[in-house]
């Protein structure tokens, strides 16, 4: 399994690869235990909400909403 580090949502940078557990989501995004996505942009929407844009999502603009105080697991580069 790849190593991860915990990062605050507002500290994410384009190109970071976020690892989410499928069990933590309303519906699984893949058949495996984890869903990995590449950050395209981090947009602060208001005082409580941040949207993280996903890069390369089949040509369609997609984002995931987080609370400002959330932290995520980011895969460490090899």
């Amino acid at each position: 399994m790849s190593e991860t580090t915990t990062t605050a949502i507002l500290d994410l940078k384009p190109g970071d690869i976020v690892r989410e557990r499928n069990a933590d989501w309303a519906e699984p995004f893949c058949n495996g235990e984890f869903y990995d996505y590449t950050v395209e942009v981090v947009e602060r929407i208001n005082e409580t909400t941040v949207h993280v844009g996903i890069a390369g999502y089949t040509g369609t603009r997609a984002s995931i909403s987080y609370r400002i105080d959330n932290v995520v697991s980011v895969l460490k580069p090899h």
Side-chain angles (χ1 to χ4, degrees):
M1 183 158 99
S2 300
E3 288 187 53
T4 61
T5 185
T6 302
T7 302
I9 287 295
L10 292 176
D11 292 338
L12 288 174
K13 295 179 180 34
D16 283 345
I17 300 174
V18 175
R19 170 161 280 184
E20 294 280 6
R21 286 177 29 83
N22 276 336
D24 295 337
W25 291 58
E27 65 179 77
F29 286 83
C30 68
N31 292 329
E33 183 179 353
F34 298 102
Y35 172 64
D36 297 341
Y37 68 84
T38 302
V39 173
E40 182 178 76
V41 65
V42 177
E43 298 176 284
R44 185 173 180 159
I45 303 304
N46 56 38
E47 60 277 345
T48 61
T49 306
V50 174
H51 285 178
V52 178
I54 299 173
Y57 186 76
T58 64
T60 306
R61 188 167 171 88
S63 66
I64 299 173
S65 183
Y66 291 95
R67 291 185 45 81
I68 278 232
D69 59 352
N70 283 145
V71 294
V72 293
S73 295
V74 175
L75 293 176
K76 292 182 180 179
H78 295 282

